[in-house]
Amino acid sequence: MSTTDTKGTEKESADDLGAAGSQLSTAPREEAPNLPSLGVIGWARWFWRQLTSMRVALLLLFLLSLGAIPGSLIPQSGTDATKVADFMDRHETLGPIYEKLGLFHVYSSVWFSAIYILLFVSLIGCIVPRTWQFVGQLRGRPPGAPKRLTRLPAYTTWRTGAEPEQVREVALRVLKQHRFRAHVAGDAVAAEKGYLREAGNLLFHIALIVMLVAFAWGQLYKSEGNKLVVEGDGFANTITQYDDFKSGSLFSIDHDLEPFSFDLKEFKGTYEVSGPNKGTPRTYEADVTYSVGADGEEKRTTIKVNEPLKIGDSKVYLVSHGYAPVVTVRDGKGKVVYKGAVPLLPQDSNVTSSGAIKVLDGYRNADGEREQLGFNAFFVPSFAGEGQGTMLSQFPALLNPRLALSAYHGDVGVDSGIAQNVYQLDTRKLEKFEDSDGELLTERLAPGETMQLPDGAGSITFEKEIKEWAGFQVTEQPGSGWALLGAIAAIGGLAGSLFIQRRRVWVRAVRGADGVTVVEMAGLGRSESAKVPEELGRLAAVVYDAAPTAPDAPPERTQDQDPDPSDAQPTEEPSADTSTPDPQVVSAEGADKQ
């Protein structure tokens, strides 16, 4: 048996390979436009070809990723308008430039939308013709063998005593057993394998379209709102109940808000008490009771971090936590004018908190005049102790709480019609209460202690009861499931297109001039790879077992030689499979040296 292998390229001439060397992919062939005769239609076709080419799709995908960077680095008006205003105030030159470029609203800007739409059109225009070509290839048959199989990258041959029809029948069966699509074409068996490579490629691009659609759908119909709820209080899913709320342009507040409500019964938080992670939260849990609809049955559940409450298309996440000291404010006559839990905002990981207490109605000063009271509040759940440090918390749990207050009276400013931050005190129209030294009246209180206001103006008591609050985020992301499905499908399709190799194999069996059958086997892959020769060698070994090498003919004697006495004796024909090596596919250089 003789073996050889050439390192010819896939780009053989049509005369040598014909249809056998045609493309092993569904990528549409690009034909150069006839430039001299280009008209409006010609230029439109040329532009469409460029837009739907793979390189343009990859370029647009890169631009889309690049364009999303400013959206994560620059404050966005749809997310935090306060930060945008602050950025404009601090950057007098960059602010107007960013505004003109749409960098404060990247995802709704004209240029980002243009990239997004062009990428969407490019992917569709690329996928449709590839899909039709792939369907056509699935319905067709592998192309027949080229005239000269020796020109293919992987090649082997041997001679056998079996009939050509028997060899082709064996080869057809073997190839089908190895999951090749195979058929007999003339004097050869043509087979092809690896169609899932193109299926994976198409799946990847279709998945990208699904992700783009899901992203657009989610942006148009999404909603997101935040609400701070103190223990014992509740929340109903109406627009007026939210602390802040934003939604997509197609979201309907009247129809798309899920009808539900819940009450926060108790918040539980545990923390590491020692070691390098001291103070790190171990558990955050909010015990709530909720009901769906106006007359829904009340149910109890626990909302944890990353374990939201799911109601219809809405998810209620636990996103923050803090403390709400309970205070009681009395006027000069001892009348209670305010009593309640005041939520304060954490400033560090140990829940050092600050905020404001505003008494808006019901208070009269010592002269009987109506006034409003305001207190700047600073709270620490774990105070280090008198003379042992500043007013900073040493641990996030309630171990040694303290409340520091500074007092004002006058007009808090809520009646001006201008929106105020409930956690900040506007002192522009307020007068400070003064201590005996003429300074701003301040005092640090332990639970149960009272701060007396001067001149019989009243008092404020830090009650022993300290409540906790939880911050909830209610979201609706209708396209998130499809986006996840698209991402998983894209990964699967990309893996298939990278690791599956499409290849073709031909087995030709013809009778030679001396009457002995000559078997040729050759393989062709989309790109040169060691897997094609290896697979061809394995297939050739199986075919060879059924059609082994034919015995060599005995050498002819010359007239000068004496006749061998053994020639007159009858001899048995040697078996075809004795001392014959298995077929191998070797390199062309090795064949030349032999």
Side-chain angles (χ1 to χ4, degrees):
M1 178 190 70
S2 63
T3 61
T4 183
D5 179 8
T6 64
K7 287 187 176 180
T9 63
E10 292 182 36
K11 297 180 180 180
E12 298 294 339
S13 64
D15 294 338
D16 292 332
L17 298 183
S22 61
Q23 286 182 308
L24 290 172
S25 72
T26 56
R29 292 183 176 87
E30 295 187 6
E31 300 176 0
N34 188 4
L35 294 178
S37 60
L38 277 181
V40 176
I41 297 178
W43 278 110
R45 293 179 60 187
W46 178 86
F47 176 78
W48 177 253
R49 287 195 184 101
Q50 301 306 310
L51 180 61
T52 57
S53 65
M54 185 58 61
R55 58 179 176 271
V56 172
L58 292 175
L59 177 62
L60 290 172
L61 188 61
F62 172 74
L63 291 176
L64 191 70
S65 304
L66 197 64
I69 294 177
S72 59
L73 299 179
I74 300 173
Q76 300 294 292
S77 56
T79 304
D80 196 334
T82 304
K83 287 186 177 180
V84 174
D86 181 64
F87 187 93
M88 293 284 289
D89 293 338
R90 290 185 292 106
H91 301 84
E92 297 180 357
T93 303
L94 281 179
I97 295 176
Y98 284 4
E99 179 67 27
K100 291 181 180 179
L101 294 177
L103 297 182
F104 292 127
H105 49 91
V106 168
Y107 303 112
S108 59
S109 63
V110 174
W111 56 269
F112 190 86
S113 300
I115 297 174
Y116 187 90
I117 295 173
L118 284 176
L119 177 60
F120 189 81
V121 174
S122 177
L123 287 174
I124 293 179
C126 181
I127 288 174
V128 171
R130 292 176 71 103
T131 302
W132 283 116
Q133 290 186 24
F134 182 58
V135 171
Q137 291 181 7
L138 290 178
R139 297 178 61 184
R141 287 186 169 189
K147 295 180 180 179
R148 289 186 290 176
L149 292 178
T150 56
R151 302 294 301 274
L152 297 181
Y155 173 81
T156 187
T157 182
W158 72 93
R159 292 155 52 86
T160 180
E163 295 296 325
E165 293 79 7
Q166 296 176 348
V167 176
R168 289 193 288 267
E169 182 180 348
V170 170
L172 182 64
R173 183 175 67 253
V174 169
L175 290 170
K176 287 185 176 181
Q177 289 175 350
H178 287 76
R179 298 188 301 277
F180 278 83
R181 294 179 58 198
H183 70 106
V184 178
D187 58 359
V189 176
E192 191 167 0
K193 189 178 183 180
Y195 287 88
L196 287 180
R197 177 188 180 94
E198 297 305 327
N201 195 11
L202 292 173
L203 176 62
F204 172 74
H205 290 85
I206 293 174
L208 288 182
I209 293 180
V210 172
M211 293 173 64
L212 290 174
V213 172
F215 176 77
W217 183 17
Q219 290 297 312
L220 292 173
Y221 289 95
K222 74 173 184 178
S223 69
E224 181 180 297
N226 295 285
K227 178 63 178 179
L228 186 151
V229 183
V230 179
E231 287 177 327
D233 293 344
F235 166 79
N237 193 27
T238 59
I239 192 64
T240 57
Q241 289 277 299
Y242 283 99
D243 295 332
D244 61 81
F245 183 86
K246 57 180 180 291
S247 63
S249 57
L250 297 183
F251 183 87
S252 173
I253 295 176
D254 296 331
H255 301 92
D256 294 335
L257 283 176
E258 295 284 348
F260 69 89
S261 61
F262 66 86
D263 295 326
L264 176 62
K265 297 300 182 182
E266 183 182 9
F267 181 89
K268 301 176 183 177
T270 60
Y271 309 90
E272 293 285 348
V273 297
S274 61
N277 295 323
K278 180 180 178 181
T280 303
R282 297 181 62 184
T283 59
Y284 273 169
E285 299 178 353
D287 293 334
V288 301
T289 57
Y290 72 97
S291 60
V292 181
D295 302 319
E297 179 185 357
E298 190 175 82
K299 301 178 182 179
R300 194 177 187 96
T301 188
T302 300
I303 304 176
K304 302 179 182 180
V305 177
N306 296 326
E307 295 183 18
L309 169 64
K310 300 179 182 179
I311 303 175
D313 293 332
S314 298
K315 294 182 180 180
V316 183
Y317 290 90
L318 175 62
V319 295
S320 57
H321 156 259
Y323 292 102
V326 177
V327 297
T328 302
V329 180
R330 295 177 172 86
D331 62 13
K333 296 181 180 180
K335 176 184 176 183
V336 176
V337 294
Y338 178 87
K339 183 175 183 179
V342 181
L344 305 177
L345 298 182
Q347 304 299 313
D348 57 28
S349 59
N350 285 328
V351 203
T352 300
S353 307
S354 65
I357 302 171
K358 301 177 183 181
V359 180
L360 305 179
D361 299 311
Y363 174 77
R364 292 178 182 271
N365 60 19
D367 298 330
E369 299 175 348
R370 290 182 178 273
E371 272 192 326
Q372 294 175 338
L373 298 179
F375 301 88
N376 277 321
F378 203 77
F379 175 80
V380 290
S382 297
F383 182 50
E386 299 296 337
Q388 299 184 26
T390 59
M391 188 69 173
L392 292 175
S393 179
Q394 306 300 307
F395 195 75
L398 286 172
L399 302 181
N400 188 23
R402 290 291 186 276
L403 179 65
L405 299 171
S406 58
Y408 298 84
H409 65 100
D411 183 7
V412 175
V414 295
D415 299 328
S416 63
I418 302 176
Q420 282 192 355
N421 189 331
V422 295
Y423 304 104
Q424 293 180 351
L425 184 65
D426 186 359
T427 61
R428 290 176 296 180
K429 296 182 179 181
L430 292 173
E431 297 181 14
K432 61 184 180 181
F433 283 106
E434 297 179 351
D435 58 15
S436 58
D437 297 328
E439 300 294 333
L440 174 65
L441 179 64
T442 61
E443 193 168 338
R444 185 162 55 205
L445 305 177
E449 294 183 345
T450 299
M451 174 184 179
Q452 295 293 335
L453 302 179
D455 302 326
S459 64
I460 179 170
T461 302
F462 177 24
E463 303 292 347
K464 293 184 178 180
E465 180 185 12
I466 301 175
K467 294 185 177 182
E468 300 187 51
W469 60 261
F472 297 95
Q473 185 178 82
V474 183
T475 65
E476 285 191 33
Q477 293 285 351
S480 57
W482 285 101
L484 177 61
L485 179 63
I488 295 174
I491 294 174
L494 183 61
S497 64
L498 291 177
F499 298 110
I500 298 176
Q501 185 179 13
R502 190 169 174 184
R503 61 270 192 202
R504 293 169 180 165
V505 173
W506 294 273
V507 182
R508 174 174 284 147
V510 295
R511 194 178 301 279
D514 57 355
V516 179
T517 301
V518 178
V519 181
E520 291 181 292
M521 291 187 66
L524 176 66
R526 183 176 178 181
S527 59
E528 288 192 19
S529 171
K531 293 183 180 181
V532 175
E534 291 174 0
E535 185 174 35
L536 184 67
R538 291 193 297 269
L539 294 172
V542 179
V543 177
Y544 176 82
D545 289 339
T549 302
D552 294 333
E556 297 181 2
R557 291 187 318 234
T558 62
Q559 295 181 356
D560 296 337
Q561 291 177 326
D562 293 332
D564 191 341
S566 62
D567 292 343
Q569 302 297 327
T571 60
E572 295 182 1
E573 183 178 355
S575 61
D577 58 351
T578 59
S579 66
T580 55
D582 290 338
Q584 299 179 6
V585 181
V586 299
S587 63
E589 290 83 350
D592 294 339
K593 292 179 181 179
Q594 292 179 357

